[in-house]
Amino acid sequence: MLTWEGTQVQGAPSIVEKIVSLPFQRIAHKVTTIDAQPSLPGTNSVIINVTGQLMFDDEPQPQQFTQTFQLVDHEGFFIFNDIFRLNYA
């Protein structure tokens, strides 16, 4: 599941559709912090929180963002949950 700006999207095809439909052509990421810790006792999983800046297309001001996601091991790691939020001033 992906939560993008408060909207939940579930399933790989729906997530890809959401990302492709976003209203920008280019994006650059600048990661400021990354924090991680184990999650789901008894399983091989980790929850990760990332903060940083995004530059969309030719916009002069970067947008602050926070993204939290959970990686779970099932014959290789995959993203089980993902929450993305732009941080408006």
Side-chain angles (χ1 to χ4, degrees), residues 19-88:
I19 292 170
V20 170
S21 74
L22 295 173
F24 48 81
Q25 299 299 313
R26 292 182 321 243
I27 189 167
H29 298 76
K30 180 181 177 187
V31 173
T32 306
T33 65
I34 300 175
D35 297 297
Q37 56 184 261
S39 65
L40 292 175
T43 65
N44 196 12
S45 62
V46 63
I47 191 159
I48 302 165
N49 188 68
V50 180
T51 65
Q53 298 177 333
L54 299 176
M55 293 292 293
F56 298 105
D57 295 326
D58 295 322
E59 289 187 22
Q61 295 291 359
Q63 296 286 324
Q64 303 295 318
F65 78 93
T66 301
Q67 184 172 18
T68 304
F69 57 97
Q70 182 180 32
L71 298 176
V72 176
D73 186 13
H74 181 72
E75 300 176 6
F77 282 93
F78 69 97
I79 298 173
F80 187 72
N81 295 96
D82 190 353
I83 300 169
F84 180 90
R85 179 69 72 168
L86 290 171
N87 301 326
Y88 300 106

